[in-house]
Amino acid sequence: DAKTTQPNSMESNEEEPVHLPCNHSTISGTDYIHWYRQLPSQGPEYVIHGLTSNVNNRMASLAIAEDRKSSTLILHRATLRDAAVYYCILRAHSPGSARQLTFGSGTQLTVLP
Amino acid sequence: KAGVTQTPRYLIKTRGQQVTLSCSPISGHRSVSWYQQTPGQGLQFLFEYFSETQRNKGNFPGRFSGRQFSNSRSEMNVSTLELGDSALYLCASSRTEETQYFGPGTRLLVL
């Protein structure tokens, strides 16, 4: 699996936007960019994924660079509940393929009140 | 819709014993994956089952095994427990290639 690089930690103020970066310079054409987060004492939780175009859902937005070598997860208004470790993961999607996720060390997001 | 459930949530065992953990996937999900999470190694893939067949396996010793039943429920077994097996064991189920849904995990402590 192609490797991703994320900052170890980031801080944000409550109710402000948060931009979490991820570098993936060796991404292949079939790799989707997935984001999961893990809140304290819980299992990881799916956040969003995309291939080439920017994506939005109720939790976040995903901005993907034109060359796909980097992406940014955007939380539009951080809340205390968003404090978690955020993982950027690359995965190829193909029917019948194994579905394992390869987790890196992620970014620990701290939200300050 | 009920989420992924794992039992037990907490477990204490001693070295040399064996343990069986259980995972019930979301209804309709046929793929179940298992992960181990430790402070030192982070989240590591153990194995994946799909329609009762192991489809992929991570880099873990043969002491770690699993199986999946016809109702998609899955169990993982660790034999001859070692101190280093103390970890949070997470189960995830999926219906498509896109998204995995994780359970709350089973925290295993080996003394």
Side-chain angles (χ1 to χ4, degrees), chain A residues 34 36 38 43-44 46 49 87 91 93-101 103, chain B residues 31 35 37 43 45 48 55-56 90 94-100 102-103:
Chain A
H34 287 248
Y36 283 74
Q38 188 172 21
Y46 167 80
H49 77 278
Y87 298 96
R91 257 195 79 237
H93 288 193
S94 55
S97 66
R99 299 178 183 185
Q100 76 222 58
L101 298 170
F103 288 84
Chain B
S31 170
Y35 296 82
Q37 185 171 29
L43 272 152
F45 170 75
E48 181 209 356
R55 186 153 66 174
N56 202 8
L90 291 155
S94 64
R95 185 179 60 83
T96 70
E97 299 79 24
E98 295 183 346
T99 307
Q100 291 200 1
F102 285 80

PDB file of all heavy atoms in Angstrom, chain A residues 34 36 38 43-44 46 49 87 91 93-101 103, chain B residues 31 35 37 43 45 48 55-56 90 94-100 102-103:
ATOM      1  N   HIS A  34      -9.033   7.659   1.900  1.00  0.00           N
ATOM      2  CA  HIS A  34     -10.017   7.474   2.969  1.00  0.00           C
ATOM      3  C   HIS A  34      -9.559   8.218   4.210  1.00  0.00           C
ATOM      4  O   HIS A  34      -8.368   8.257   4.521  1.00  0.00           O
ATOM      5  CB  HIS A  34     -10.147   5.985   3.327  1.00  0.00           C
ATOM      6  CG  HIS A  34     -10.854   5.162   2.313  1.00  0.00           C
ATOM      7  ND1 HIS A  34     -12.091   4.599   2.543  1.00  0.00           N
ATOM      8  CD2 HIS A  34     -10.510   4.797   1.060  1.00  0.00           C
ATOM      9  CE1 HIS A  34     -12.475   3.923   1.479  1.00  0.00           C
ATOM     10  NE2 HIS A  34     -11.535   4.021   0.565  1.00  0.00           N
ATOM     11  N   TYR A  36     -10.467   8.162   8.370  1.00  0.00           N
ATOM     12  CA  TYR A  36     -11.154   7.620   9.535  1.00  0.00           C
ATOM     13  C   TYR A  36     -10.691   8.425  10.741  1.00  0.00           C
ATOM     14  O   TYR A  36      -9.621   9.025  10.729  1.00  0.00           O
ATOM     15  CB  TYR A  36     -10.813   6.141   9.761  1.00  0.00           C
ATOM     16  CG  TYR A  36     -11.530   5.190   8.835  1.00  0.00           C
ATOM     17  CD1 TYR A  36     -11.155   5.070   7.504  1.00  0.00           C
ATOM     18  CD2 TYR A  36     -12.595   4.414   9.296  1.00  0.00           C
ATOM     19  CE1 TYR A  36     -11.827   4.193   6.647  1.00  0.00           C
ATOM     20  CE2 TYR A  36     -13.272   3.537   8.452  1.00  0.00           C
ATOM     21  CZ  TYR A  36     -12.870   3.446   7.132  1.00  0.00           C
ATOM     22  OH  TYR A  36     -13.540   2.580   6.285  1.00  0.00           O
ATOM     23  N   GLN A  38     -10.593   8.230  15.236  1.00  0.00           N
ATOM     24  CA  GLN A  38     -10.799   7.393  16.415  1.00  0.00           C
ATOM     25  C   GLN A  38     -10.902   8.287  17.633  1.00  0.00           C
ATOM     26  O   GLN A  38      -9.910   8.919  18.039  1.00  0.00           O
ATOM     27  CB  GLN A  38      -9.662   6.374  16.581  1.00  0.00           C
ATOM     28  CG  GLN A  38      -9.919   5.364  17.676  1.00  0.00           C
ATOM     29  CD  GLN A  38      -8.879   4.256  17.706  1.00  0.00           C
ATOM     30  OE1 GLN A  38      -7.775   4.404  17.187  1.00  0.00           O
ATOM     31  NE2 GLN A  38      -9.235   3.120  18.314  1.00  0.00           N
ATOM     32  N   GLY A  43     -13.730   2.539  18.757  1.00  0.00           N
ATOM     33  CA  GLY A  43     -13.144   2.044  17.522  1.00  0.00           C
ATOM     34  C   GLY A  43     -13.111   3.148  16.481  1.00  0.00           C
ATOM     35  O   GLY A  43     -13.809   4.153  16.605  1.00  0.00           O
ATOM     36  N   PRO A  44     -12.287   2.990  15.445  1.00  0.00           N
ATOM     37  CA  PRO A  44     -12.256   3.998  14.376  1.00  0.00           C
ATOM     38  C   PRO A  44     -13.627   4.180  13.735  1.00  0.00           C
ATOM     39  O   PRO A  44     -14.450   3.257  13.707  1.00  0.00           O
ATOM     40  CB  PRO A  44     -11.241   3.412  13.383  1.00  0.00           C
ATOM     41  CG  PRO A  44     -10.371   2.522  14.209  1.00  0.00           C
ATOM     42  CD  PRO A  44     -11.295   1.940  15.237  1.00  0.00           C
ATOM     43  N   TYR A  46     -15.537   5.856  10.219  1.00  0.00           N
ATOM     44  CA  TYR A  46     -15.383   6.374   8.868  1.00  0.00           C
ATOM     45  C   TYR A  46     -15.775   7.850   8.820  1.00  0.00           C
ATOM     46  O   TYR A  46     -16.786   8.257   9.429  1.00  0.00           O
ATOM     47  CB  TYR A  46     -16.260   5.571   7.905  1.00  0.00           C
ATOM     48  CG  TYR A  46     -16.432   6.185   6.538  1.00  0.00           C
ATOM     49  CD1 TYR A  46     -15.444   6.046   5.564  1.00  0.00           C
ATOM     50  CD2 TYR A  46     -17.574   6.910   6.224  1.00  0.00           C
ATOM     51  CE1 TYR A  46     -15.612   6.611   4.303  1.00  0.00           C
ATOM     52  CE2 TYR A  46     -17.738   7.478   4.977  1.00  0.00           C
ATOM     53  CZ  TYR A  46     -16.754   7.321   4.017  1.00  0.00           C
ATOM     54  OH  TYR A  46     -16.915   7.889   2.785  1.00  0.00           O
ATOM     55  N   HIS A  49     -14.363   9.672   2.006  1.00  0.00           N
ATOM     56  CA  HIS A  49     -13.363   9.188   1.068  1.00  0.00           C
ATOM     57  C   HIS A  49     -13.606   9.804  -0.304  1.00  0.00           C
ATOM     58  O   HIS A  49     -14.728  10.255  -0.603  1.00  0.00           O
ATOM     59  CB  HIS A  49     -13.340   7.658   0.987  1.00  0.00           C
ATOM     60  CG  HIS A  49     -14.448   7.051   0.188  1.00  0.00           C
ATOM     61  ND1 HIS A  49     -15.712   6.843   0.711  1.00  0.00           N
ATOM     62  CD2 HIS A  49     -14.485   6.598  -1.084  1.00  0.00           C
ATOM     63  CE1 HIS A  49     -16.474   6.288  -0.204  1.00  0.00           C
ATOM     64  NE2 HIS A  49     -15.769   6.128  -1.311  1.00  0.00           N
ATOM     65  N   TYR A  87      -6.958   9.536  10.765  1.00  0.00           N
ATOM     66  CA  TYR A  87      -6.112   8.699   9.919  1.00  0.00           C
ATOM     67  C   TYR A  87      -6.445   8.925   8.450  1.00  0.00           C
ATOM     68  O   TYR A  87      -7.613   8.857   8.048  1.00  0.00           O
ATOM     69  CB  TYR A  87      -6.312   7.226  10.235  1.00  0.00           C
ATOM     70  CG  TYR A  87      -5.950   6.793  11.631  1.00  0.00           C
ATOM     71  CD1 TYR A  87      -6.914   6.685  12.627  1.00  0.00           C
ATOM     72  CD2 TYR A  87      -4.633   6.477  11.959  1.00  0.00           C
ATOM     73  CE1 TYR A  87      -6.584   6.271  13.904  1.00  0.00           C
ATOM     74  CE2 TYR A  87      -4.294   6.063  13.236  1.00  0.00           C
ATOM     75  CZ  TYR A  87      -5.278   5.961  14.206  1.00  0.00           C
ATOM     76  OH  TYR A  87      -4.933   5.544  15.470  1.00  0.00           O
ATOM     77  N   ARG A  91      -6.531   3.290  -0.297  1.00  0.00           N
ATOM     78  CA  ARG A  91      -7.041   1.949  -0.584  1.00  0.00           C
ATOM     79  C   ARG A  91      -7.529   1.873  -2.001  1.00  0.00           C
ATOM     80  O   ARG A  91      -8.245   2.744  -2.464  1.00  0.00           O
ATOM     81  CB  ARG A  91      -8.206   1.603   0.344  1.00  0.00           C
ATOM     82  CG  ARG A  91      -7.851   0.680   1.467  1.00  0.00           C
ATOM     83  CD  ARG A  91      -9.073   0.108   2.118  1.00  0.00           C
ATOM     84  NE  ARG A  91      -9.621  -0.981   1.336  1.00  0.00           N
ATOM     85  CZ  ARG A  91     -10.854  -1.011   0.889  1.00  0.00           C
ATOM     86  NH1 ARG A  91     -11.672  -0.012   1.089  1.00  0.00           N
ATOM     87  NH2 ARG A  91     -11.287  -2.040   0.216  1.00  0.00           N
ATOM     88  N   HIS A  93     -10.017   0.300  -4.672  1.00  0.00           N
ATOM     89  CA  HIS A  93     -11.340  -0.308  -4.643  1.00  0.00           C
ATOM     90  C   HIS A  93     -11.466  -1.220  -5.847  1.00  0.00           C
ATOM     91  O   HIS A  93     -11.355  -0.767  -6.978  1.00  0.00           O
ATOM     92  CB  HIS A  93     -12.443   0.755  -4.763  1.00  0.00           C
ATOM     93  CG  HIS A  93     -12.613   1.596  -3.557  1.00  0.00           C
ATOM     94  ND1 HIS A  93     -13.705   2.412  -3.368  1.00  0.00           N
ATOM     95  CD2 HIS A  93     -11.835   1.766  -2.475  1.00  0.00           C
ATOM     96  CE1 HIS A  93     -13.575   3.049  -2.214  1.00  0.00           C
ATOM     97  NE2 HIS A  93     -12.461   2.679  -1.650  1.00  0.00           N
ATOM     98  N   SER A  94     -11.693  -2.492  -5.614  1.00  0.00           N
ATOM     99  CA  SER A  94     -12.016  -3.396  -6.712  1.00  0.00           C
ATOM    100  C   SER A  94     -12.830  -4.539  -6.136  1.00  0.00           C
ATOM    101  O   SER A  94     -12.516  -5.057  -5.062  1.00  0.00           O
ATOM    102  CB  SER A  94     -10.746  -3.915  -7.391  1.00  0.00           C
ATOM    103  OG  SER A  94      -9.902  -4.522  -6.454  1.00  0.00           O
ATOM    104  N   PRO A  95     -13.890  -4.930  -6.824  1.00  0.00           N
ATOM    105  CA  PRO A  95     -14.752  -5.994  -6.300  1.00  0.00           C
ATOM    106  C   PRO A  95     -13.954  -7.248  -6.010  1.00  0.00           C
ATOM    107  O   PRO A  95     -13.126  -7.680  -6.810  1.00  0.00           O
ATOM    108  CB  PRO A  95     -15.749  -6.210  -7.448  1.00  0.00           C
ATOM    109  CG  PRO A  95     -15.747  -4.942  -8.202  1.00  0.00           C
ATOM    110  CD  PRO A  95     -14.345  -4.415  -8.117  1.00  0.00           C
ATOM    111  N   GLY A  96     -14.186  -7.822  -4.855  1.00  0.00           N
ATOM    112  CA  GLY A  96     -13.499  -9.045  -4.495  1.00  0.00           C
ATOM    113  C   GLY A  96     -12.137  -8.843  -3.872  1.00  0.00           C
ATOM    114  O   GLY A  96     -11.524  -9.805  -3.423  1.00  0.00           O
ATOM    115  N   SER A  97     -11.658  -7.620  -3.830  1.00  0.00           N
ATOM    116  CA  SER A  97     -10.328  -7.404  -3.246  1.00  0.00           C
ATOM    117  C   SER A  97     -10.431  -7.390  -1.727  1.00  0.00           C
ATOM    118  O   SER A  97     -11.487  -7.136  -1.162  1.00  0.00           O
ATOM    119  CB  SER A  97      -9.725  -6.087  -3.738  1.00  0.00           C
ATOM    120  OG  SER A  97     -10.484  -5.006  -3.260  1.00  0.00           O
ATOM    121  N   ALA A  98      -9.307  -7.661  -1.086  1.00  0.00           N
ATOM    122  CA  ALA A  98      -9.262  -7.609   0.370  1.00  0.00           C
ATOM    123  C   ALA A  98      -9.562  -6.194   0.836  1.00  0.00           C
ATOM    124  O   ALA A  98      -9.252  -5.217   0.149  1.00  0.00           O
ATOM    125  CB  ALA A  98      -7.892  -8.049   0.856  1.00  0.00           C
ATOM    126  N   ARG A  99     -10.167  -6.096   1.991  1.00  0.00           N
ATOM    127  CA  ARG A  99     -10.662  -4.801   2.440  1.00  0.00           C
ATOM    128  C   ARG A  99      -9.896  -4.243   3.622  1.00  0.00           C
ATOM    129  O   ARG A  99     -10.364  -3.346   4.290  1.00  0.00           O
ATOM    130  CB  ARG A  99     -12.144  -4.930   2.780  1.00  0.00           C
ATOM    131  CG  ARG A  99     -12.938  -5.355   1.567  1.00  0.00           C
ATOM    132  CD  ARG A  99     -14.384  -5.549   1.856  1.00  0.00           C
ATOM    133  NE  ARG A  99     -15.077  -6.027   0.648  1.00  0.00           N
ATOM    134  CZ  ARG A  99     -16.354  -6.213   0.543  1.00  0.00           C
ATOM    135  NH1 ARG A  99     -17.136  -5.980   1.577  1.00  0.00           N
ATOM    136  NH2 ARG A  99     -16.901  -6.650  -0.573  1.00  0.00           N
ATOM    137  N   GLN A 100      -8.681  -4.770   3.846  1.00  0.00           N
ATOM    138  CA  GLN A 100      -7.972  -4.277   5.017  1.00  0.00           C
ATOM    139  C   GLN A 100      -7.586  -2.825   4.847  1.00  0.00           C
ATOM    140  O   GLN A 100      -7.365  -2.342   3.742  1.00  0.00           O
ATOM    141  CB  GLN A 100      -6.713  -5.106   5.262  1.00  0.00           C
ATOM    142  CG  GLN A 100      -5.582  -4.787   4.302  1.00  0.00           C
ATOM    143  CD  GLN A 100      -4.885  -6.018   3.836  1.00  0.00           C
ATOM    144  OE1 GLN A 100      -5.487  -6.900   3.260  1.00  0.00           O
ATOM    145  NE2 GLN A 100      -3.594  -6.087   4.102  1.00  0.00           N
ATOM    146  N   LEU A 101      -7.515  -2.138   5.973  1.00  0.00           N
ATOM    147  CA  LEU A 101      -7.047  -0.766   6.032  1.00  0.00           C
ATOM    148  C   LEU A 101      -5.659  -0.768   6.656  1.00  0.00           C
ATOM    149  O   LEU A 101      -5.433  -1.436   7.657  1.00  0.00           O
ATOM    150  CB  LEU A 101      -8.004   0.089   6.875  1.00  0.00           C
ATOM    151  CG  LEU A 101      -9.435   0.210   6.353  1.00  0.00           C
ATOM    152  CD1 LEU A 101     -10.319   0.874   7.401  1.00  0.00           C
ATOM    153  CD2 LEU A 101      -9.462   1.005   5.056  1.00  0.00           C
ATOM    154  N   PHE A 103      -3.314   1.420   8.616  1.00  0.00           N
ATOM    155  CA  PHE A 103      -3.310   2.644   9.413  1.00  0.00           C
ATOM    156  C   PHE A 103      -1.884   3.108   9.658  1.00  0.00           C
ATOM    157  O   PHE A 103      -1.010   2.309   9.962  1.00  0.00           O
ATOM    158  CB  PHE A 103      -3.989   2.412  10.767  1.00  0.00           C
ATOM    159  CG  PHE A 103      -5.472   2.244  10.707  1.00  0.00           C
ATOM    160  CD1 PHE A 103      -6.036   0.998  10.428  1.00  0.00           C
ATOM    161  CD2 PHE A 103      -6.321   3.316  10.931  1.00  0.00           C
ATOM    162  CE1 PHE A 103      -7.409   0.838  10.372  1.00  0.00           C
ATOM    163  CE2 PHE A 103      -7.691   3.170  10.879  1.00  0.00           C
ATOM    164  CZ  PHE A 103      -8.242   1.931  10.597  1.00  0.00           C
TER     165      PHE A 103
ATOM    166  N   SER B  31     -18.422  -9.195   5.086  1.00  0.00           N
ATOM    167  CA  SER B  31     -16.982  -9.126   5.328  1.00  0.00           C
ATOM    168  C   SER B  31     -16.727  -8.689   6.763  1.00  0.00           C
ATOM    169  O   SER B  31     -17.312  -7.720   7.242  1.00  0.00           O
ATOM    170  CB  SER B  31     -16.340  -8.132   4.358  1.00  0.00           C
ATOM    171  OG  SER B  31     -14.998  -7.879   4.724  1.00  0.00           O
ATOM    172  N   TYR B  35      -8.506  -6.335  13.753  1.00  0.00           N
ATOM    173  CA  TYR B  35      -7.311  -5.511  13.922  1.00  0.00           C
ATOM    174  C   TYR B  35      -6.868  -5.581  15.380  1.00  0.00           C
ATOM    175  O   TYR B  35      -7.677  -5.733  16.290  1.00  0.00           O
ATOM    176  CB  TYR B  35      -7.595  -4.050  13.573  1.00  0.00           C
ATOM    177  CG  TYR B  35      -7.963  -3.800  12.128  1.00  0.00           C
ATOM    178  CD1 TYR B  35      -9.262  -3.994  11.679  1.00  0.00           C
ATOM    179  CD2 TYR B  35      -7.014  -3.350  11.215  1.00  0.00           C
ATOM    180  CE1 TYR B  35      -9.612  -3.766  10.355  1.00  0.00           C
ATOM    181  CE2 TYR B  35      -7.352  -3.109   9.892  1.00  0.00           C
ATOM    182  CZ  TYR B  35      -8.646  -3.324   9.477  1.00  0.00           C
ATOM    183  OH  TYR B  35      -8.985  -3.091   8.165  1.00  0.00           O
ATOM    184  N   GLN B  37      -4.747  -3.263  18.190  1.00  0.00           N
ATOM    185  CA  GLN B  37      -4.218  -1.925  18.458  1.00  0.00           C
ATOM    186  C   GLN B  37      -3.432  -1.923  19.752  1.00  0.00           C
ATOM    187  O   GLN B  37      -3.956  -2.261  20.816  1.00  0.00           O
ATOM    188  CB  GLN B  37      -5.336  -0.887  18.526  1.00  0.00           C
ATOM    189  CG  GLN B  37      -4.824   0.539  18.680  1.00  0.00           C
ATOM    190  CD  GLN B  37      -5.906   1.584  18.535  1.00  0.00           C
ATOM    191  OE1 GLN B  37      -7.068   1.335  18.835  1.00  0.00           O
ATOM    192  NE2 GLN B  37      -5.549   2.767  18.054  1.00  0.00           N
ATOM    193  N   LEU B  43      -2.500   0.485  15.002  1.00  0.00           N
ATOM    194  CA  LEU B  43      -3.533  -0.416  14.485  1.00  0.00           C
ATOM    195  C   LEU B  43      -2.943  -1.307  13.411  1.00  0.00           C
ATOM    196  O   LEU B  43      -2.450  -0.819  12.393  1.00  0.00           O
ATOM    197  CB  LEU B  43      -4.674   0.398  13.875  1.00  0.00           C
ATOM    198  CG  LEU B  43      -5.788   0.821  14.813  1.00  0.00           C
ATOM    199  CD1 LEU B  43      -6.441   2.098  14.323  1.00  0.00           C
ATOM    200  CD2 LEU B  43      -6.820  -0.289  14.923  1.00  0.00           C
ATOM    201  N   PHE B  45      -3.563  -4.874  10.970  1.00  0.00           N
ATOM    202  CA  PHE B  45      -4.532  -5.808  10.409  1.00  0.00           C
ATOM    203  C   PHE B  45      -4.168  -7.243  10.780  1.00  0.00           C
ATOM    204  O   PHE B  45      -3.006  -7.653  10.627  1.00  0.00           O
ATOM    205  CB  PHE B  45      -4.565  -5.634   8.896  1.00  0.00           C
ATOM    206  CG  PHE B  45      -5.338  -6.677   8.152  1.00  0.00           C
ATOM    207  CD1 PHE B  45      -6.719  -6.678   8.170  1.00  0.00           C
ATOM    208  CD2 PHE B  45      -4.679  -7.652   7.429  1.00  0.00           C
ATOM    209  CE1 PHE B  45      -7.431  -7.631   7.471  1.00  0.00           C
ATOM    210  CE2 PHE B  45      -5.377  -8.610   6.723  1.00  0.00           C
ATOM    211  CZ  PHE B  45      -6.760  -8.592   6.743  1.00  0.00           C
ATOM    212  N   GLU B  48      -9.062 -11.040   7.489  1.00  0.00           N
ATOM    213  CA  GLU B  48     -10.375 -10.700   6.984  1.00  0.00           C
ATOM    214  C   GLU B  48     -11.083 -11.967   6.550  1.00  0.00           C
ATOM    215  O   GLU B  48     -10.475 -12.855   5.937  1.00  0.00           O
ATOM    216  CB  GLU B  48     -10.305  -9.747   5.787  1.00  0.00           C
ATOM    217  CG  GLU B  48     -11.688  -9.357   5.258  1.00  0.00           C
ATOM    218  CD  GLU B  48     -11.715  -9.048   3.781  1.00  0.00           C
ATOM    219  OE1 GLU B  48     -10.660  -9.060   3.131  1.00  0.00           O
ATOM    220  OE2 GLU B  48     -12.827  -8.816   3.261  1.00  0.00           O
ATOM    221  N   ARG B  55      -9.947 -14.340   3.624  1.00  0.00           N
ATOM    222  CA  ARG B  55      -9.560 -13.757   2.333  1.00  0.00           C
ATOM    223  C   ARG B  55      -8.168 -13.135   2.384  1.00  0.00           C
ATOM    224  O   ARG B  55      -7.501 -13.046   1.370  1.00  0.00           O
ATOM    225  CB  ARG B  55     -10.590 -12.725   1.911  1.00  0.00           C
ATOM    226  CG  ARG B  55     -10.374 -12.154   0.519  1.00  0.00           C
ATOM    227  CD  ARG B  55     -11.656 -11.682  -0.105  1.00  0.00           C
ATOM    228  NE  ARG B  55     -12.251 -10.554   0.579  1.00  0.00           N
ATOM    229  CZ  ARG B  55     -13.323  -9.907   0.147  1.00  0.00           C
ATOM    230  NH1 ARG B  55     -13.908 -10.272  -0.978  1.00  0.00           N
ATOM    231  NH2 ARG B  55     -13.840  -8.904   0.818  1.00  0.00           N
ATOM    232  N   ASN B  56      -7.770 -12.714   3.556  1.00  0.00           N
ATOM    233  CA  ASN B  56      -6.464 -12.085   3.665  1.00  0.00           C
ATOM    234  C   ASN B  56      -5.979 -12.184   5.108  1.00  0.00           C
ATOM    235  O   ASN B  56      -6.790 -12.245   6.037  1.00  0.00           O
ATOM    236  CB  ASN B  56      -6.551 -10.620   3.242  1.00  0.00           C
ATOM    237  CG  ASN B  56      -5.214 -10.050   2.817  1.00  0.00           C
ATOM    238  OD1 ASN B  56      -4.233 -10.773   2.698  1.00  0.00           O
ATOM    239  ND2 ASN B  56      -5.180  -8.760   2.590  1.00  0.00           N
ATOM    240  N   LEU B  90     -10.027  -5.034  17.637  1.00  0.00           N
ATOM    241  CA  LEU B  90     -11.144  -4.377  16.967  1.00  0.00           C
ATOM    242  C   LEU B  90     -11.639  -5.226  15.816  1.00  0.00           C
ATOM    243  O   LEU B  90     -10.857  -5.817  15.072  1.00  0.00           O
ATOM    244  CB  LEU B  90     -10.698  -3.009  16.434  1.00  0.00           C
ATOM    245  CG  LEU B  90     -10.401  -1.961  17.499  1.00  0.00           C
ATOM    246  CD1 LEU B  90      -9.428  -0.933  16.968  1.00  0.00           C
ATOM    247  CD2 LEU B  90     -11.680  -1.298  17.967  1.00  0.00           C
ATOM    248  N   SER B  94     -18.066  -4.822   6.738  1.00  0.00           N
ATOM    249  CA  SER B  94     -18.337  -3.990   5.563  1.00  0.00           C
ATOM    250  C   SER B  94     -19.212  -4.749   4.591  1.00  0.00           C
ATOM    251  O   SER B  94     -19.208  -5.983   4.546  1.00  0.00           O
ATOM    252  CB  SER B  94     -17.040  -3.541   4.892  1.00  0.00           C
ATOM    253  OG  SER B  94     -16.325  -4.646   4.392  1.00  0.00           O
ATOM    254  N   ARG B  95     -19.945  -3.970   3.814  1.00  0.00           N
ATOM    255  CA  ARG B  95     -20.798  -4.552   2.773  1.00  0.00           C
ATOM    256  C   ARG B  95     -20.185  -4.330   1.401  1.00  0.00           C
ATOM    257  O   ARG B  95     -20.335  -5.145   0.510  1.00  0.00           O
ATOM    258  CB  ARG B  95     -22.189  -3.909   2.846  1.00  0.00           C
ATOM    259  CG  ARG B  95     -23.212  -4.490   1.897  1.00  0.00           C
ATOM    260  CD  ARG B  95     -24.565  -3.800   2.075  1.00  0.00           C
ATOM    261  NE  ARG B  95     -24.489  -2.379   1.809  1.00  0.00           N
ATOM    262  CZ  ARG B  95     -24.549  -1.832   0.597  1.00  0.00           C
ATOM    263  NH1 ARG B  95     -24.668  -2.607  -0.462  1.00  0.00           N
ATOM    264  NH2 ARG B  95     -24.484  -0.522   0.437  1.00  0.00           N
ATOM    265  N   THR B  96     -19.463  -3.202   1.267  1.00  0.00           N
ATOM    266  CA  THR B  96     -18.823  -2.877  -0.002  1.00  0.00           C
ATOM    267  C   THR B  96     -17.340  -2.627   0.224  1.00  0.00           C
ATOM    268  O   THR B  96     -16.865  -2.657   1.361  1.00  0.00           O
ATOM    269  CB  THR B  96     -19.443  -1.613  -0.621  1.00  0.00           C
ATOM    270  OG1 THR B  96     -19.058  -0.485   0.191  1.00  0.00           O
ATOM    271  CG2 THR B  96     -20.956  -1.707  -0.654  1.00  0.00           C
ATOM    272  N   GLU B  97     -16.650  -2.299  -0.868  1.00  0.00           N
ATOM    273  CA  GLU B  97     -15.213  -2.014  -0.747  1.00  0.00           C
ATOM    274  C   GLU B  97     -14.969  -0.670  -0.096  1.00  0.00           C
ATOM    275  O   GLU B  97     -13.846  -0.345   0.262  1.00  0.00           O
ATOM    276  CB  GLU B  97     -14.560  -1.985  -2.133  1.00  0.00           C
ATOM    277  CG  GLU B  97     -14.639  -3.274  -2.918  1.00  0.00           C
ATOM    278  CD  GLU B  97     -15.979  -3.483  -3.562  1.00  0.00           C
ATOM    279  OE1 GLU B  97     -16.686  -2.473  -3.793  1.00  0.00           O
ATOM    280  OE2 GLU B  97     -16.338  -4.638  -3.820  1.00  0.00           O
ATOM    281  N   GLU B  98     -16.006   0.133   0.045  1.00  0.00           N
ATOM    282  CA  GLU B  98     -15.782   1.522   0.373  1.00  0.00           C
ATOM    283  C   GLU B  98     -15.580   1.806   1.863  1.00  0.00           C
ATOM    284  O   GLU B  98     -14.656   2.515   2.228  1.00  0.00           O
ATOM    285  CB  GLU B  98     -16.947   2.364  -0.146  1.00  0.00           C
ATOM    286  CG  GLU B  98     -17.045   2.356  -1.668  1.00  0.00           C
ATOM    287  CD  GLU B  98     -18.146   3.256  -2.163  1.00  0.00           C
ATOM    288  OE1 GLU B  98     -18.991   3.672  -1.359  1.00  0.00           O
ATOM    289  OE2 GLU B  98     -18.153   3.539  -3.370  1.00  0.00           O
ATOM    290  N   THR B  99     -16.419   1.256   2.708  1.00  0.00           N
ATOM    291  CA  THR B  99     -16.446   1.703   4.097  1.00  0.00           C
ATOM    292  C   THR B  99     -16.419   0.533   5.054  1.00  0.00           C
ATOM    293  O   THR B  99     -17.101  -0.463   4.842  1.00  0.00           O
ATOM    294  CB  THR B  99     -17.730   2.515   4.357  1.00  0.00           C
ATOM    295  OG1 THR B  99     -17.830   3.549   3.386  1.00  0.00           O
ATOM    296  CG2 THR B  99     -17.718   3.115   5.751  1.00  0.00           C
ATOM    297  N   GLN B 100     -15.617   0.668   6.094  1.00  0.00           N
ATOM    298  CA  GLN B 100     -15.629  -0.320   7.164  1.00  0.00           C
ATOM    299  C   GLN B 100     -16.224   0.311   8.414  1.00  0.00           C
ATOM    300  O   GLN B 100     -15.969   1.474   8.717  1.00  0.00           O
ATOM    301  CB  GLN B 100     -14.217  -0.816   7.449  1.00  0.00           C
ATOM    302  CG  GLN B 100     -13.649  -1.664   6.314  1.00  0.00           C
ATOM    303  CD  GLN B 100     -12.498  -2.543   6.759  1.00  0.00           C
ATOM    304  OE1 GLN B 100     -12.110  -2.566   7.918  1.00  0.00           O
ATOM    305  NE2 GLN B 100     -11.949  -3.294   5.826  1.00  0.00           N
ATOM    306  N   PHE B 102     -16.486  -0.090  12.452  1.00  0.00           N
ATOM    307  CA  PHE B 102     -15.774  -0.728  13.551  1.00  0.00           C
ATOM    308  C   PHE B 102     -16.662  -0.880  14.780  1.00  0.00           C
ATOM    309  O   PHE B 102     -17.514  -0.038  15.075  1.00  0.00           O
ATOM    310  CB  PHE B 102     -14.547   0.103  13.935  1.00  0.00           C
ATOM    311  CG  PHE B 102     -13.409  -0.026  12.967  1.00  0.00           C
ATOM    312  CD1 PHE B 102     -13.397   0.688  11.778  1.00  0.00           C
ATOM    313  CD2 PHE B 102     -12.345  -0.872  13.239  1.00  0.00           C
ATOM    314  CE1 PHE B 102     -12.351   0.562  10.880  1.00  0.00           C
ATOM    315  CE2 PHE B 102     -11.289  -1.000  12.343  1.00  0.00           C
ATOM    316  CZ  PHE B 102     -11.293  -0.279  11.166  1.00  0.00           C
ATOM    317  N   GLY B 103     -16.388  -1.949  15.516  1.00  0.00           N
ATOM    318  CA  GLY B 103     -16.994  -2.121  16.815  1.00  0.00           C
ATOM    319  C   GLY B 103     -16.197  -1.384  17.876  1.00  0.00           C
ATOM    320  O   GLY B 103     -15.170  -0.772  17.577  1.00  0.00           O
TER     321      GLY B 103
END
